[in-house]
Amino acid sequence: MSLEQTLRDRSGDKCELCGAQDNLSIYEVPPVAEPNSDKSVLVCSHCATQINSTDADYDMNHWRCLNDSMWSQVPAVQVMAYRMLKRLNSESWAQDALDMIYLEDDVREWADSAAGDALEADEATLDNNKAPLAGGDNVVLIKDLVVKGANFTAKRGTAVRNISLTSNPLHIEGKVNGTRIVIISDYVKKM
């Protein structure tokens, strides 16, 4: 039986992440030495496009499907759900799901493997002074930033505490005036 047919039988001809039935294809969950059904998932074209995206412009409503797929009995599906939830961790629902997800030790090791995460950055996230930033750091804005959609301007000198790194090494995330925003890392300096 072909790999695709094995995955179609396992998934019931549905995307193993969102349940869509159209435009299905095989996604090999990295790292893959040799393609097989244990290291692959069947995904729709929308999920595949989002998984392979490097611009972090995710369809947040679409990925709410991970609240269901993270409970799959298939390790490859669990790994993909975990990795996508990690990418979406700026969303409170994704953080909640990450807190609830259960993975066996070997599956978590696979999910956390740097070689497996397509968005694992080789570049460090640097502030304006080229100091490396890490998740949990505190930074200060060095210029006024107009926050689109929130109708306020984050003023220069505003402290942003407990930042999160994103998949893009040029961006960080943090709360300003109670609103979680994405900030260009070159517009901050480490405290």
Side-chain angles (χ1 to χ4, degrees):
M1 187 180 299
S2 73
L3 175 60
E4 183 175 1
Q5 190 57 50
T6 301
L7 294 176
R8 285 183 178 278
D9 290 347
R10 179 177 80 192
S11 69
D13 274 337
K14 295 179 182 173
C15 174
E16 293 183 278
L17 297 177
C18 74
Q21 296 178 319
D22 299 326
N23 301 318
L24 301 176
S25 62
I26 298 169
Y27 179 79
E28 296 173 357
V29 183
V32 177
E34 191 172 309
N36 64 53
S37 61
D38 293 336
K39 299 281 186 176
S40 302
V41 294
L42 195 64
V43 296
C44 67
S45 60
H46 188 66
C47 284
T49 300
Q50 296 267 304
I51 289 168
N52 294 320
S53 173
T54 56
D55 64 6
D57 187 23
Y58 299 115
D59 180 353
M60 295 301 176
N61 287 328
H62 175 79
W63 287 114
R64 289 184 180 268
C65 63
L66 297 174
N67 284 316
D68 294 328
S69 58
M70 72 182 202
W71 300 112
S72 171
Q73 296 300 310
V74 178
V77 176
Q78 294 172 352
V79 167
M80 285 310 304
Y82 177 82
R83 288 180 180 172
M84 288 309 299
L85 288 167
K86 293 276 282 189
R87 293 180 191 180
L88 304 169
N89 72 358
S90 64
E91 298 289 313
S92 61
W93 64 266
Q95 290 173 355
D96 293 344
L98 276 171
D99 291 342
M100 290 187 300
I101 196 169
Y102 174 78
L103 301 174
E104 295 290 338
D105 291 340
D106 58 331
V107 175
R108 181 168 299 271
E109 188 175 305
W110 177 19
D112 284 333
S113 68
D117 191 348
L119 293 182
E120 190 69 36
D122 289 300
E123 282 184 65
T125 300
L126 305 175
D127 73 358
N128 186 268
N129 296 327
K130 306 302 179 215
L133 297 172
D137 282 349
N138 299 324
V139 297
V140 175
L141 299 178
I142 61 168
K143 67 181 279 183
D144 292 350
L145 302 175
V146 176
V147 181
K148 296 177 184 174
N151 297 326
F152 72 89
T153 299
K155 298 291 184 186
R156 183 175 76 192
T158 300
V160 182
R161 303 195 185 287
N162 197 21
I163 65 166
S164 299
L165 300 183
T166 68
S167 56
N168 183 340
L170 302 177
H171 296 151
I172 61 169
E173 292 182 355
K175 280 191 177 181
V176 176
N177 294 345
T179 302
R180 190 151 188 91
I181 62 172
V182 175
I183 306 166
I184 296 173
S185 61
D186 202 38
Y187 295 166
V188 300
K189 72 177 180 180
K190 194 172 184 176
M191 291 174 72

